[in-house]
Amino acid sequence: GIWELLEAYGDLRRRRPDLALVILGSGPELEPLRRAVSERGLAEVSLPGFVSDAEKAQALLDGDIFVFPTYHGEGCPASLLEAMAAGLPCITTAVGGIPDIFREGENGVMLREVTPASITAAIEALLSDPAGRAAIGARNRRVAWERYEARAVSARIAEIYRLVGGRAAGVEPGNRS
């Protein structure tokens, strides 16, 4: 959905000249995106390509909204969890494992379709409600760190192994003498 995001941004920028768009990462679309940004005169779009973990973390902390309008059956996208951990309200889609970690309204906006109009509407909705955006961001930060931080996930996996191992040995859960 990167092309739809770029088109949405071009439309939004005319109404909200204070907006900037930063697209992190590299891949086969990077150079075509750079050409399109140049051709469309969108000098305020930044396409740094691959960045270090520290640069990525800083970009997330500096951002206001994270937009991830993917159509691909992502497993559980680390980028979405990183944005949530940084306290950003998110805009994404219900593909792959995303619905397992993301709730409409609680974590941001779940796009029903990936179109420039749907992305524009989602961004406008979040921008027009600063208090709601702040509340979603705070919730995302708390949820990401409580549920998805490595130690929390490892502890849940270890507990599952203990339960499964106990059952295999004929020990009922909660009865570990």
Side-chain angles (χ1 to χ4, degrees):
I2 197 74
W3 292 100
E4 290 86 348
L5 173 58
L6 188 61
E7 190 173 329
Y9 175 77
D11 181 47
L12 282 164
R13 183 81 167 104
R14 286 188 282 281
R15 293 190 306 275
R16 292 180 172 265
D18 57 323
L19 288 183
L21 176 63
V22 178
I23 301 172
L24 300 179
S26 60
E29 296 298 315
L30 183 58
E31 288 310 314
L33 278 169
R34 285 184 171 147
R35 281 192 301 277
V37 163
S38 177
E39 290 165 3
R40 296 176 190 188
L42 298 172
E44 63 287 338
V45 173
S46 174
L47 292 153
F50 178 82
V51 295
S52 70
D53 286 342
E55 291 168 314
K56 176 176 52 173
Q58 191 60 56
L60 291 170
L61 291 171
D62 290 343
D64 294 308
I65 298 171
F66 180 75
V67 184
F68 189 64
T70 184
Y71 330 102
H72 299 289
E74 312 282 340
C76 180
S79 60
L80 184 59
L81 291 173
E82 290 167 338
M84 290 171 64
L88 292 176
C90 301
I91 298 170
T92 192
T93 55
V95 298
I98 293 173
D100 294 332
I101 63 167
F102 191 91
R103 299 287 175 263
E104 168 69 30
E106 290 180 26
N107 306 113
V109 179
M110 185 82 79
L111 299 172
R112 307 224 185 308
E113 59 181 350
V114 179
T115 65
S118 68
I119 295 169
T120 298
I123 292 171
E124 285 280 15
L126 289 173
L127 289 176
S128 67
D129 183 8
R133 194 172 67 241
I136 289 169
R139 183 180 309 112
N140 281 352
R141 182 185 312 270
R142 181 181 46 77
V143 166
W145 285 99
E146 287 175 2
R147 292 186 193 161
Y148 305 114
E149 189 273 331
R151 281 178 286 226
V153 172
S154 294
R156 284 197 312 273
I157 291 170
E159 180 58 23
I160 291 168
Y161 281 138
R162 279 191 291 279
L163 289 171
V164 171
R167 285 189 186 126
V171 177
E172 289 299 315
N175 205 8
R176 304 194 183 259
S177 21

